Amino acid sequence: MTEQRLNELQSRGYCHSDFLSLDEQNMYFTLESRSGFRPGLLFGGFEDAERKVLYYDLEEPPISVVEIKPSVNHFTKVPGHRDYLGSLLGLGLDRRVIGDILVSLTGDRAWVFCLTKVADFIVENLTKVGRVSVKCQVSTAPDMALIVQRKEIRVVVTSLRIDSLVAEAFRVSRTESKQLVENKKVYLNGKLLQKAETKPEAGCKITVRGYGSFIFREVAGPTRKEKLSVVLEI
């Protein structure tokens, strides 16, 4: 997705983009801040989706969910996200028409968020994931209780700076967390983070490319050593 294409979308009505990556979403946020740019809506099929569709004047974006299950009772080898994505791309699909892929806690099925125009194609043509035969059907977004869930943890930080939170969340040094920001790998609510000293508000989602994401929930209180105990959902 290019800046020109985003400008074209905002000038039209009743339209939508393909699924946007974090970098593409950040490009949109940059344009949105400019005077005269018409803001749209971003949605990926569920609340915490990473890849999202930008749409204008539609009640909702044309996103469908395809459920993938083994034809037998279970997978001989439980596939992961990469296996599902590889099988979908092996059908000749463009990555841009595929959103997030959620795998169940037990690994016995997955849900693929995709543009509605390719949902039937996936159902008809995806017959294997790896070496295992599968069957697909258009479904609804899964109960998130079936998906690997985040858990709340408490960490102690010297300040609420995002580089400090990233260091504790992913067990890296402060130097490494600063480098992640400098290398443009850290996003705050989908927007590229510019300053390591930024302090997030409660409920903000921090995404680090190559590591994952977490939600800053709250400050639990000060510690005896004048540091802060904070709650993260990771």
Side-chain angles (χ1 to χ4, degrees), residues 35 91 122 124 159 161 169 213 218 223 231:
S35 175
L91 299 177
I122 294 174
E124 294 170 7
S159 74
R161 291 168 49 118
S213 63
E218 63 178 351
T223 68
V231 179

PDB file of all heavy atoms in Angstrom, residues 35 91 122 124 159 161 169 213 218 223 231:
ATOM      1  N   SER A  35      -3.870  18.167   7.412  1.00  0.00           N
ATOM      2  CA  SER A  35      -5.096  18.924   7.163  1.00  0.00           C
ATOM      3  C   SER A  35      -5.704  18.514   5.828  1.00  0.00           C
ATOM      4  O   SER A  35      -5.013  18.394   4.817  1.00  0.00           O
ATOM      5  CB  SER A  35      -4.782  20.424   7.157  1.00  0.00           C
ATOM      6  OG  SER A  35      -5.918  21.171   6.818  1.00  0.00           O
ATOM      7  N   LEU A  91      -1.478 -21.392  -2.375  1.00  0.00           N
ATOM      8  CA  LEU A  91      -2.622 -21.402  -3.285  1.00  0.00           C
ATOM      9  C   LEU A  91      -2.533 -20.282  -4.319  1.00  0.00           C
ATOM     10  O   LEU A  91      -3.372 -20.193  -5.217  1.00  0.00           O
ATOM     11  CB  LEU A  91      -3.934 -21.244  -2.502  1.00  0.00           C
ATOM     12  CG  LEU A  91      -4.282 -22.320  -1.478  1.00  0.00           C
ATOM     13  CD1 LEU A  91      -5.578 -21.957  -0.753  1.00  0.00           C
ATOM     14  CD2 LEU A  91      -4.406 -23.679  -2.149  1.00  0.00           C
ATOM     15  N   ILE A 122     -10.688 -20.134  -0.674  1.00  0.00           N
ATOM     16  CA  ILE A 122      -9.934 -20.872   0.343  1.00  0.00           C
ATOM     17  C   ILE A 122     -10.662 -22.153   0.720  1.00  0.00           C
ATOM     18  O   ILE A 122     -10.059 -23.238   0.802  1.00  0.00           O
ATOM     19  CB  ILE A 122      -9.701 -19.992   1.587  1.00  0.00           C
ATOM     20  CG1 ILE A 122      -8.770 -18.817   1.240  1.00  0.00           C
ATOM     21  CG2 ILE A 122      -9.101 -20.820   2.732  1.00  0.00           C
ATOM     22  CD1 ILE A 122      -8.605 -17.810   2.358  1.00  0.00           C
ATOM     23  N   GLU A 124     -12.692 -23.927  -0.979  1.00  0.00           N
ATOM     24  CA  GLU A 124     -12.700 -24.899  -2.070  1.00  0.00           C
ATOM     25  C   GLU A 124     -11.312 -25.466  -2.388  1.00  0.00           C
ATOM     26  O   GLU A 124     -11.197 -26.593  -2.885  1.00  0.00           O
ATOM     27  CB  GLU A 124     -13.280 -24.253  -3.328  1.00  0.00           C
ATOM     28  CG  GLU A 124     -14.758 -23.891  -3.202  1.00  0.00           C
ATOM     29  CD  GLU A 124     -15.240 -23.031  -4.355  1.00  0.00           C
ATOM     30  OE1 GLU A 124     -14.461 -22.821  -5.311  1.00  0.00           O
ATOM     31  OE2 GLU A 124     -16.391 -22.561  -4.303  1.00  0.00           O
ATOM     32  N   SER A 159      10.709   3.769  35.648  1.00  0.00           N
ATOM     33  CA  SER A 159       9.806   4.803  35.148  1.00  0.00           C
ATOM     34  C   SER A 159       8.843   4.160  34.161  1.00  0.00           C
ATOM     35  O   SER A 159       9.005   2.993  33.779  1.00  0.00           O
ATOM     36  CB  SER A 159      10.578   5.929  34.462  1.00  0.00           C
ATOM     37  OG  SER A 159      11.055   5.494  33.200  1.00  0.00           O
ATOM     38  N   ARG A 161       8.519   4.908  31.064  1.00  0.00           N
ATOM     39  CA  ARG A 161       8.989   5.016  29.687  1.00  0.00           C
ATOM     40  C   ARG A 161       8.750   3.699  28.948  1.00  0.00           C
ATOM     41  O   ARG A 161       8.919   2.614  29.523  1.00  0.00           O
ATOM     42  CB  ARG A 161      10.478   5.343  29.662  1.00  0.00           C
ATOM     43  CG  ARG A 161      10.848   6.728  30.146  1.00  0.00           C
ATOM     44  CD  ARG A 161      12.339   6.837  30.367  1.00  0.00           C
ATOM     45  NE  ARG A 161      13.120   6.350  29.233  1.00  0.00           N
ATOM     46  CZ  ARG A 161      13.957   7.098  28.517  1.00  0.00           C
ATOM     47  NH1 ARG A 161      14.128   8.376  28.815  1.00  0.00           N
ATOM     48  NH2 ARG A 161      14.648   6.581  27.518  1.00  0.00           N
ATOM     49  N   ALA A 169       9.059  -6.534  29.608  1.00  0.00           N
ATOM     50  CA  ALA A 169       8.096  -7.442  28.985  1.00  0.00           C
ATOM     51  C   ALA A 169       8.786  -8.564  28.216  1.00  0.00           C
ATOM     52  O   ALA A 169       8.363  -9.724  28.255  1.00  0.00           O
ATOM     53  CB  ALA A 169       7.169  -6.667  28.054  1.00  0.00           C
ATOM     54  N   SER A 213       3.520  -8.572  21.361  1.00  0.00           N
ATOM     55  CA  SER A 213       2.862  -7.363  21.852  1.00  0.00           C
ATOM     56  C   SER A 213       2.406  -7.553  23.292  1.00  0.00           C
ATOM     57  O   SER A 213       2.310  -8.682  23.786  1.00  0.00           O
ATOM     58  CB  SER A 213       1.651  -7.019  20.978  1.00  0.00           C
ATOM     59  OG  SER A 213       0.661  -8.047  21.040  1.00  0.00           O
ATOM     60  N   GLU A 218      -1.892  -0.959  34.111  1.00  0.00           N
ATOM     61  CA  GLU A 218      -1.976   0.048  35.169  1.00  0.00           C
ATOM     62  C   GLU A 218      -0.702   0.068  36.007  1.00  0.00           C
ATOM     63  O   GLU A 218       0.119  -0.841  35.938  1.00  0.00           O
ATOM     64  CB  GLU A 218      -3.169  -0.252  36.095  1.00  0.00           C
ATOM     65  CG  GLU A 218      -3.036  -1.579  36.827  1.00  0.00           C
ATOM     66  CD  GLU A 218      -4.193  -1.851  37.765  1.00  0.00           C
ATOM     67  OE1 GLU A 218      -5.004  -0.940  37.978  1.00  0.00           O
ATOM     68  OE2 GLU A 218      -4.266  -2.978  38.298  1.00  0.00           O
ATOM     69  N   THR A 223       7.168   0.881  44.891  1.00  0.00           N
ATOM     70  CA  THR A 223       7.846  -0.142  45.690  1.00  0.00           C
ATOM     71  C   THR A 223       8.629   0.551  46.807  1.00  0.00           C
ATOM     72  O   THR A 223       8.717   1.781  46.854  1.00  0.00           O
ATOM     73  CB  THR A 223       8.820  -0.964  44.826  1.00  0.00           C
ATOM     74  OG1 THR A 223       9.915  -0.122  44.426  1.00  0.00           O
ATOM     75  CG2 THR A 223       8.120  -1.502  43.579  1.00  0.00           C
ATOM     76  N   VAL A 231       1.361  -3.372  35.914  1.00  0.00           N
ATOM     77  CA  VAL A 231       0.702  -4.587  35.418  1.00  0.00           C
ATOM     78  C   VAL A 231       0.695  -4.558  33.897  1.00  0.00           C
ATOM     79  O   VAL A 231       0.238  -3.596  33.288  1.00  0.00           O
ATOM     80  CB  VAL A 231      -0.743  -4.688  35.948  1.00  0.00           C
ATOM     81  CG1 VAL A 231      -1.420  -5.936  35.410  1.00  0.00           C
ATOM     82  CG2 VAL A 231      -0.755  -4.690  37.477  1.00  0.00           C
TER      83      VAL A 231
END
